[in-house]
Amino acid sequence: MTTEPAPDTVTAADPHGDVAVDRRELSAELIGAAGDATTAAPDVAEYALWLGDDSLILAQQLGRWISYAPELEEDVALGNIALDLLGHARSLLHYAGSASGRSEDDLAYWRGESEFRSAWLFEQPNGDFAHTIVRQLIAAHYLFELYSRLTASADRTVAAIAAKAVKEVDYHRDHADQWLLRLALGTDESRARVTVALADLWPYVDELFHDEPLIDRIPDVAVQPSALRWGFDQAVLPVLAEAELEQPRGFSSSGGGRRGVHSEYLGPILAEMQVLAREHPGASW
Amino acid sequence: MTTTRDIRSAGEIGTASEIGSARDIRTAWDLAASVVDPEIPVLTIEDLGVLRAVEEVDGRVRVTLTPTYSGCPAMDAIRDDVVGILRAGGFLDVEVRLVLAPAWTTDWMSEVGKQKLREYGIAAPSGHAAALGRSARPAGPVRVALAVKCPHCNSLHTSELARFGSTSCKALYECLDCLEPFDYFKVL
């Protein structure tokens, strides 16, 4: 071992100085149990893109609540949930980009609206706090069912991301359940608002469980969305029953996010999310 | 915690540091293990269970870390610190990898780490992470939790104020006896 310091040696006394580190060495490899860096097959990359976009858009939406939530603890809670989701999105988009040589930032900041593959639920407006909680209730339970199943995916990277994510979305589920009960069984005002929010957002549930041809091509890697519906119902309907709320029926939104077709709400979300990166192309932070 | 050794006969490599001996890998482990979590500076990444392996691969030191939470912003700082401290220690060719599987759990936190947490004023995770499965919730969504001990007065008479606290990994509690608020490191 040498004691000859390299020109770019960082002294321990100044750990956060100008760390002259080769970026390549620091590019985090998201790898599975055996530790080999992987490149996603095209269909798997597309699937990772779907899931990554769902989490990215939801994280971006939840972040808007910081400093606006009804109480300080909720600023922190929604911010933390957004951070978890952003972590899942980063892992998934990193993997999705491995097939085409694009970074997670390339995918987040340099795609247009029609290139995003997120389901419509996630781009629905924050609305009032009740709308955000109902959206969380649907999202957290859907993601919990999804990641629970994906821990057994034949794709080791997908399985690893899912195993990590499922523990976190379990906390998100609990957060949404508790708030739904508080709002529904709280005051007349909170009950009226959560009833409206449920009617507004329930039409977007079906798209989450809609089967797509892509899934048929990678049956061992992905999970059929329709196969998640039973578990979702088993988990969510009792919460609605306990909250003495009726499951809305009849109306289902068109959807189309998996094909790049979006509602009018995605554009402004992307504009805000992407403006800084596009203003300063190539900048990193 | 054992040091993973992957000692191959390293050929002559460009850098001056001749690594590969068990002693050097031990030194590299000790250096990496001294890096602290910037958000909880009393805990090293070894205490946390974030440091998973230090090995020699083709003449370079490979450090394997497992992030605590998916979105934990401390990971970038930790990664830079690991590279910095190893380079300062003479290991010039360093590679840091983040491995997601097996997923990090609070069960990996060392007893020493839990004790340091308490002394720092943060309640350590109580109990073990539930094995992944459908958490049985027979009576609705409320789950029974173990009592959390106040790090200030050791009372078990405490109450959760917020499930989500100052960082992803912590919840906010208050002690109903000494009335002090405190952070609780959530079981994951």
Side-chain angles (χ1 to χ4, degrees):
Chain A
M1 200 173 108
T2 181
T3 50
E4 182 77 24
D8 58 354
T9 292
V10 182
T11 59
D14 184 23
H16 286 296
D18 185 18
V19 182
V21 173
D22 179 350
R23 293 317 285 168
R24 186 181 47 77
E25 285 179 24
L26 280 191
S27 79
E29 300 289 2
L30 293 162
I31 39 192
D36 53 336
T38 42
T39 302
D43 280 342
V44 177
E46 177 71 10
Y47 186 60
L49 191 70
W50 293 8
L51 307 188
D53 282 351
D54 284 349
S55 292
L56 178 64
I57 298 304
L58 186 56
Q60 179 72 13
Q61 298 258 70
L62 289 173
R64 290 190 70 108
W65 273 106
I66 297 170
S67 83
Y68 290 99
E71 54 186 31
L72 178 63
E73 287 78 6
E74 276 314 292
D75 280 348
V76 175
L78 294 172
N80 266 307
I81 291 169
L83 189 63
D84 287 343
L85 292 164
L86 192 62
H88 309 158
R90 286 188 61 185
S91 297
L92 289 160
L93 293 180
H94 177 94
Y95 192 45
S98 68
S100 53
R102 288 179 291 177
S103 71
E104 62 194 69
D105 282 2
D106 293 338
L107 291 172
Y109 299 128
W110 296 98
R111 281 182 300 153
E113 187 182 319
S114 62
E115 296 169 283
F116 273 79
R117 294 288 177 266
S118 45
W120 282 28
L121 172 78
F122 304 102
E123 65 203 46
Q124 295 312 299
N126 284 346
D128 60 10
F129 186 65
H131 279 85
T132 286
I133 290 302
V134 170
R135 193 182 61 199
Q136 274 309 103
L137 179 84
I138 299 167
H141 281 279
Y142 160 71
L143 291 172
F144 183 81
E145 296 302 320
L146 174 73
Y147 290 135
S148 297
R149 294 282 294 271
L150 286 180
T151 55
S153 170
D155 185 287
R156 285 217 319 265
T157 302
V158 170
I161 294 169
K164 189 134 197 70
V166 73
K167 300 205 288 186
E168 294 164 11
V169 297
D170 197 13
Y171 272 116
H172 305 174
R173 250 179 6 146
D174 197 46
H175 170 265
D177 289 353
Q178 308 256 357
W179 267 112
L180 189 88
L181 291 173
R182 279 187 207 113
L183 295 174
L185 307 174
T187 63
D188 288 348
E189 174 75 8
S190 69
R191 183 168 180 81
R193 284 175 178 250
V194 82
T195 305
V196 169
L198 194 62
D200 286 349
L201 286 158
W202 204 256
Y204 301 99
V205 171
D206 284 349
E207 186 190 7
L208 299 172
F209 302 100
H210 187 268
D211 289 343
E212 298 283 345
L214 171 74
I215 313 289
D216 295 330
R217 298 199 296 270
I218 44 172
D220 298 338
V221 172
V223 53
Q224 287 288 359
S226 58
L228 301 170
R229 186 65 192 253
W230 185 84
F232 174 86
D233 286 344
Q234 289 296 304
V236 174
L237 299 183
V239 179
L240 293 183
E242 195 170 340
E244 295 167 17
L245 293 168
E246 290 276 324
Q247 177 192 347
R249 295 191 184 279
F251 178 66
S252 182
S253 163
S254 52
R258 303 304 186 208
R259 301 187 308 276
V261 176
H262 289 280
S263 66
E264 69 269 34
Y265 299 115
L266 183 62
I269 296 168
L270 295 183
E272 184 177 59
M273 185 174 85
Q274 296 176 334
V275 64
L276 192 66
R278 293 185 179 217
E279 194 70 32
H280 304 279
S284 61
W285 53 79
Chain B
M1 183 107 45
T2 56
T3 310
T4 304
R5 284 190 201 150
D6 185 4
I7 312 296
R8 301 177 203 164
S9 53
E12 285 304 307
I13 47 170
T15 65
S17 90
E18 181 71 43
I19 55 171
S21 79
R23 188 184 59 79
D24 277 350
I25 286 295
R26 184 76 241 176
T27 305
W29 173 282
D30 290 343
L31 283 170
S34 68
V35 170
V36 297
D37 180 335
E39 287 174 332
I40 314 174
V42 290
L43 284 189
T44 68
I45 56 176
E46 184 179 38
D47 294 331
L48 275 165
V50 162
L51 179 63
R52 303 308 299 164
V54 176
E55 55 206 327
E56 184 269 327
V57 180
D58 302 332
R60 54 169 37 194
V61 177
R62 177 189 282 172
V63 180
T64 303
L65 306 176
T66 299
T68 51
Y69 278 71
S70 300
C72 180
M75 287 313 299
D76 290 339
I78 287 171
R79 204 170 52 201
D80 290 358
D81 288 349
V82 166
V83 171
I85 204 160
L86 281 169
R87 288 196 162 193
F91 296 93
L92 303 184
D93 199 358
V94 181
E95 173 195 11
V96 176
R97 300 186 319 157
L98 296 183
V99 179
L100 294 182
W104 183 84
T105 163
T106 40
D107 296 351
W108 292 349
M109 195 183 290
S110 67
E111 282 310 314
V112 173
K114 289 181 183 175
Q115 188 54 39
K116 285 189 201 166
L117 264 187
R118 288 182 206 107
E119 288 163 8
Y120 191 60
I122 298 174
S126 60
H128 290 277
L132 174 66
R134 309 223 161 255
S135 36
R137 297 190 295 167
V142 182
R143 278 173 283 175
V144 176
L146 289 168
V148 172
K149 189 184 280 187
C150 170
H152 306 297
C153 73
N154 290 330
S155 165
L156 287 171
H157 192 206
T158 58
S159 155
E160 183 187 83
L161 288 176
R163 174 68 47 84
F164 295 88
S166 53
T167 61
S168 291
C169 49
K170 299 198 287 277
L172 182 64
Y173 271 66
E174 66 177 339
C175 176
L176 302 173
D177 282 333
C178 74
L179 306 182
E180 288 289 331
F182 64 91
D183 268 337
Y184 167 58
F185 205 111
K186 287 184 289 201
V187 172
L188 185 76

